[in-house]
Every structure is written in structure tokens, then in C-alpha cells.
Amino acid sequence: MFKKLFSEFRIPVRFHILFWIVYFVFNFFRFASINKDYCYSLKSNLVEFPLNMIITYFTIYFLIPRFVLKKKYLQFFLYFVMSLVIFYIVRTGLNYLLVSKDLWPEAQGQQEPFTLIHIVEVMIGTIYVVALVSAIKLAYDWISEKRKNDELQRIQLQTELDFLKSQIQPHFFFNTLNNLYALVIKQSPNAPDVVMKLSEIM
């Protein structure tokens, strides 16, 4: 399954790696600057980073092709919301077990996890990265498809041109030989020139 998934990547793998490195560094410094705690930011991002990758690739390589591109929007919405709920539960649980009992240190005042405001805050951040990667993927696919269609159109035009050339050349050669035959019968002095020009053309 994973082999098939990676074989379907149209964007080169190095660009995937570069994007996630930039995303990780950005998130690390963003949360570190808010909390003034680089250790917590590193640990929490190490927990959340693979989860963000999983939900992002699940969305763009499974949900979008199977539902959005087939105009099954309701099914897409339901599956996407379910994946967000699972993401939130797993993320919160892993942060609690592996990082810190204080699951929302950047919040103003005393805020608890598993409240509506915390769920919305986490889901908005997840939707942001999924939407960003999806936009990049769809833009890249659109450009690739346009290039492919342009190349196919060029090949089709070249094929049609070659076909027309193959049709024209025998008629041209036949007519020229007829004209040359007439010049030879008349013993025209132009006959040698016609032979030379025909030889150059052919």
C-alpha cells in the first residue's frame, strides 16, 4: 500500500522533504517564541509532526481523489471531520503522555483540553497545513496536466503534419516526373536543370 502511495507522488520526494523541514522549523520557532520554552516546543512538534504528515497525505492522496474529484462532497466532509477528531484525540493523548501534563501552555488564562475552544484551536491549525499542502499539490498537478496536454497537442500536430507530408510528396514527385518526361520528349534545354533541382529537393 505504502509503495503504491509513494509511486503516485507526482511532486518529487525532495520537495516533500523540503516542505516538511521548513514547516517543522517554522512551527518550532513559532511555539518557542510564544511559550519561551524551546524544549517543550521541540518535544510537542516531534509528536505532532508525523501526525500532521499522516492526516495531510491521507487527505490529498485518499480523500480528495476518491471523493472531491468525484463530487462526493458530503462523504469527503464526513471522513475529513472523522480524521480531524481522531487526530485531535491521538495528538492530545500523546502530548499528555510524552511531553507535558500542561496540554495548552500557550493559552491565555487557565484553559483545559477537550473543551470546544481547544478542539477548535487544534483543528484550525491542522486544517491550515492540510489546506496549504492541498493547494500546492493541486497547483502542481494542474501545471503538470497542462504541460502534458500541450505536449500531446504538439505530438498530434506533428503527426498530422508528417501524414500530410507523406501524402504530398508522392504527388509532387509524380507530377515533377511527368513534367520532366514532357521536357525530355520536347528535347527542352531546361530538362537538365529540372533534373538537378529535383535531385536537390529529394
Side-chain angles (χ1 to χ4, degrees), residues 176 180 183-184 190-201:
T176 305
L180 181 59
L183 292 174
V184 170
N190 295 327
D193 292 336
V194 173
V195 173
M196 291 301 299
K197 288 180 181 179
L198 179 61
S199 175
E200 291 173 1
I201 292 173

Side-chain angles (χ1 to χ4, degrees), residues 35-85:
N35 304 326
K36 306 301 180 184
D37 188 342
Y38 287 89
C39 183
Y40 171 81
S41 180
L42 178 62
K43 289 179 180 178
S44 63
N45 274 290
L46 286 173
V47 168
E48 297 168 21
F49 183 74
L51 297 177
N52 276 314
M53 291 182 66
I54 291 170
I55 192 172
T56 298
Y57 286 129
F58 175 71
T59 301
I60 64 176
Y61 287 106
F62 181 81
L63 295 183
I64 290 178
R66 283 163 179 76
F67 298 110
V68 175
L69 298 183
K70 296 179 181 178
K71 299 183 179 180
K72 298 178 180 179
Y73 303 117
L74 180 59
Q75 291 94 321
F76 169 79
F77 177 76
L78 293 175
Y79 277 108
F80 185 61
V81 170
M82 286 172 55
S83 64
L84 286 174
V85 171

Side-chain angles (χ1 to χ4, degrees), residues 60-188:
I60 64 176
Y61 287 106
F62 181 81
L63 295 183
I64 290 178
R66 283 163 179 76
F67 298 110
V68 175
L69 298 183
K70 296 179 181 178
K71 299 183 179 180
K72 298 178 180 179
Y73 303 117
L74 180 59
Q75 291 94 321
F76 169 79
F77 177 76
L78 293 175
Y79 277 108
F80 185 61
V81 170
M82 286 172 55
S83 64
L84 286 174
V85 171
I86 294 170
F87 171 84
Y88 175 80
I89 294 171
V90 174
R91 172 192 182 275
T92 305
L94 289 176
N95 270 329
Y96 183 83
L97 293 172
L98 303 175
V99 181
S100 172
K101 302 297 187 275
D102 184 7
L103 293 172
W104 201 3
E106 66 270 20
Q108 297 294 325
Q110 186 64 30
Q111 298 288 350
E112 296 294 329
F114 292 100
T115 58
L116 180 61
I117 188 171
H118 185 242
I119 292 171
V120 170
E121 191 270 342
V122 171
M123 287 189 175
I124 286 176
T126 307
I127 291 171
Y128 167 77
V129 67
V130 171
L132 177 62
V133 176
S134 298
I136 294 171
K137 171 72 166 54
L138 293 173
Y140 189 91
D141 285 350
W142 181 82
I143 293 171
S144 298
E145 286 298 320
K146 188 175 184 304
R147 287 178 178 173
K148 185 190 297 182
N149 291 335
D150 290 344
E151 180 63 18
L152 288 173
Q153 188 175 14
R154 187 193 66 79
I155 292 173
Q156 183 180 2
L157 290 173
Q158 186 62 46
T159 303
E160 291 176 356
L161 182 61
D162 291 341
F163 176 75
L164 289 173
K165 285 181 178 179
S166 68
Q167 295 296 309
I168 292 171
Q169 284 179 355
H171 293 294
F172 169 78
F173 190 59
F174 179 75
N175 291 334
T176 305
L177 286 177
N178 278 339
N179 292 333
L180 181 59
Y181 176 73
L183 292 174
V184 170
I185 288 178
K186 295 177 181 179
Q187 295 183 352
S188 171

